[in-house]
Amino acid sequence: MEIKVIQNPLEKRKAKPTDESKLGFGKIFSDHFFTMTYHTGQGWHDPLIEPYRPLQLDPTAMCLHYAQEIFEGMKAYRGKGGAIFMFRPMENIRRMNVSAERLCMPKVDEQLFFEALKRLVILEKDWIPHGAGTSLYIRPTMIATEPALGVHPANEYLFFIIAGPVGAYYAEGFGPTRIFVTEEYCRSVPGGTGYCKAGGNYAASLYAGEIAKKMGYTQVLWLDAVERKYVEEVGTSNMFFMIGDELITAPLTGSILPGVTRDSVIQLAKSWGVKVSERRLGMDEVMEAIANGTIREAFASGTAAIVSPVGQIYYQGKEYLIADGKTGQLTNRLYEEILQIQYGQKDDPFGWRIKIAD
Ligand SMILES: *Cc1c(COP(=O)(O)O)cnc(C)c1O
């Protein structure tokens, strides 16, 4: 399928933000977006890059009622000399298709998906900011658009990709965060949709997030839904603990999101000779490691921040300090290494970086 392009007339294009220190996250979007429509029997058709616009949906569009909605989050980076890079984009493409399958939504051809990303990023390359740590955030999304009530997989879908400049996550420095362990609420259950980037998962997570915020914490640490004991994720990131000489993260058993950053952290740490375990880690073990001082680092991983150190943890009515509330050595090294690979400032031994344009 050929991707058609309808250019936004120059006079209709938005002014680009001038102060890159005020970009923030998720507030500004570029002049074009990619759209493609699906009908049962016909498959995907009419791939198009067109001027950014509001969507028109029937009030009965099924995504609005039964939450058949999935998305992805990835970035394009401007390196030294102006080259444009993406970081492991095929992983996001494959993960979106895994989410699609679980939500009974149609898959998108991987090559067409990648072509759409590339064409959109190249068309919008002047929207990629220049400052250190800034990037173009890309949000592929799929929604059920069939106008009909009744719970069943829809017969019509819209796939779209929007993009917008985002600021450096650590504009104010690399500060450890405070996390709140909830035993009362769960993000996902065995057999559920925890491994998918599906909008419904995030709606279900908001309530505990608000409780954490009221208590003065940045994020929720989610435990497994069955025993309410084992560490799963933190907010919308994967969680790592360095206890003694072992770097521990939850195994991919279906209730956690298989983060691209998580996988990159595991591969890098292993290549540096760190013992990495994907295993269940009980809060009792975390508490013991805090008590006997063997906990050395704790951090969350995700595309937005790469890694985010955890300094304090609230559990069963008490607050605990981790590694004196300071950023760990491995956390720092992982951050620097991944950042430099993403921006083309360092060798890329794993072949993670893809050059989109010179
Ligand atoms: C997106 C996300 C992550 C991180 O995934 P990355 O691919 O590293 O960005 C982790 N957990 C949840 C729940 C997420 O939504």
Side-chain angles (χ1 to χ4, degrees), residues 120-132:
L120 183 66
V121 169
I122 290 170
L123 179 63
E124 302 296 58
K125 77 180 189 327
D126 291 345
W127 280 94
I128 308 177
H130 294 75

Side-chain angles (χ1 to χ4, degrees), residues 24 160 206:
F160 62 87
L206 296 175

Side-chain angles (χ1 to χ4, degrees), residues 36-353:
M36 182 163 72
T37 311
Y38 179 94
H39 287 89
T40 298
Q42 193 181 357
W44 288 109
H45 58 90
D46 294 311
L48 178 65
I49 290 174
E50 57 175 310
Y52 191 98
R53 59 173 171 85
L55 301 176
Q56 197 167 33
L57 290 175
D58 193 278
T60 60
M62 288 178 74
C63 63
L64 301 175
H65 302 272
Y66 312 116
Q68 256 188 311
E69 188 268 0
I70 55 173
F71 64 95
E72 267 304 325
M74 53 212 298
K75 286 175 169 178
Y77 309 88
R78 186 186 294 281
K80 263 208 183 122
I84 310 301
F85 300 111
M86 292 193 76
F87 184 72
R88 311 186 69 184
M90 297 316 286
E91 299 300 318
N92 296 88
I93 289 172
R94 285 187 208 113
R95 187 170 68 189
M96 183 131 180
N97 278 335
V98 170
S99 300
E101 177 158 32
R102 179 63 178 81
L103 278 280
C104 297
M105 300 169 84
K107 291 183 187 174
V108 176
D109 177 80
E110 288 180 10
Q111 278 317 310
L112 177 66
F113 194 155
F114 180 61
E115 191 62 26
L117 283 171
K118 214 164 61 176
R119 297 276 297 268
L120 183 66
V121 169
I122 290 170
L123 179 63
E124 302 296 58
K125 77 180 189 327
D126 291 345
W127 280 94
I128 308 177
H130 294 75
T134 64
S135 57
L136 185 77
Y137 185 76
I138 304 164
R139 170 56 62 93
T141 310
M142 193 192 298
I143 56 173
T145 50
E146 183 187 353
L149 296 187
V151 178
H152 62 81
N155 290 301
E156 295 176 28
Y157 296 88
L158 178 71
F159 174 61
F160 62 87
I161 307 172
I162 54 175
V166 297
Y169 195 86
Y170 292 112
E172 266 119 62
F174 205 47
T177 53
R178 295 157 49 77
I179 59 171
F180 177 89
V181 182
T182 176
E183 289 179 290
E184 194 170 359
Y185 300 100
C186 313
R187 193 190 81 87
S188 84
V189 299
T193 56
Y195 64 97
C196 306
K197 264 196 184 317
N201 290 340
Y202 304 86
S205 77
L206 296 175
Y207 196 80
E210 288 302 292
I211 293 173
K213 256 188 234 156
K214 277 197 198 105
M215 302 274 291
Y217 293 86
T218 336
Q219 293 280 7
V220 172
L221 189 146
W222 304 101
L223 300 177
D224 77 286
V226 177
E227 296 181 61
R228 307 285 167 103
K229 178 179 167 186
Y230 297 101
V231 173
E232 296 223 314
E233 297 199 62
V234 59
T236 58
S237 312
N238 295 110
M239 185 69 212
F240 287 83
F241 283 97
M242 181 82 177
I243 298 178
D245 291 325
E246 185 187 16
L247 182 65
I248 309 161
T249 194
L252 300 178
T253 49
S255 53
I256 75 163
L257 202 286
V260 177
T261 320
R262 174 189 178 278
D263 184 71
S264 309
V265 163
I266 291 172
Q267 290 195 49
L268 272 175
K270 280 185 179 168
S271 79
W272 295 336
V274 177
K275 181 186 174 203
V276 184
S277 304
E278 294 175 66
R279 67 164 175 91
R280 301 239 274 177
L281 173 66
M283 279 308 293
D284 49 351
E285 197 182 334
V286 173
M287 288 298 122
E288 195 187 301
I290 289 174
N292 66 23
T294 51
I295 198 149
R296 287 164 56 193
E297 311 193 18
F299 62 88
S301 76
T303 296
I306 306 180
V307 289
S308 170
V310 170
Q312 273 116 325
I313 182 164
Y314 177 97
Y315 180 58
Q316 293 184 336
K318 280 202 203 116
E319 187 177 282
Y320 301 87
L321 201 61
I322 292 179
D324 295 326
K326 294 199 189 85
T327 300
Q329 229 180 338
L330 181 67
T331 310
N332 250 321
R333 186 174 176 198
L334 285 163
Y335 176 74
E336 287 299 330
E337 185 77 17
I338 295 175
L339 188 83
Q340 289 180 25
I341 291 176
Q342 287 172 337
Y343 286 83
Q345 295 159 350
K346 207 163 197 171
D347 284 353
D348 175 27
F350 296 95
W352 288 337
R353 183 170 62 215

Side-chain angles (χ1 to χ4, degrees), residues 12-27:
K12 289 213 174 135
R13 296 194 187 181
K14 295 173 258 193
K16 300 199 175 54
T18 45
D19 186 352
E20 290 190 354
S21 71
K22 296 205 172 70
L23 286 173
F25 178 84
K27 295 181 296 192

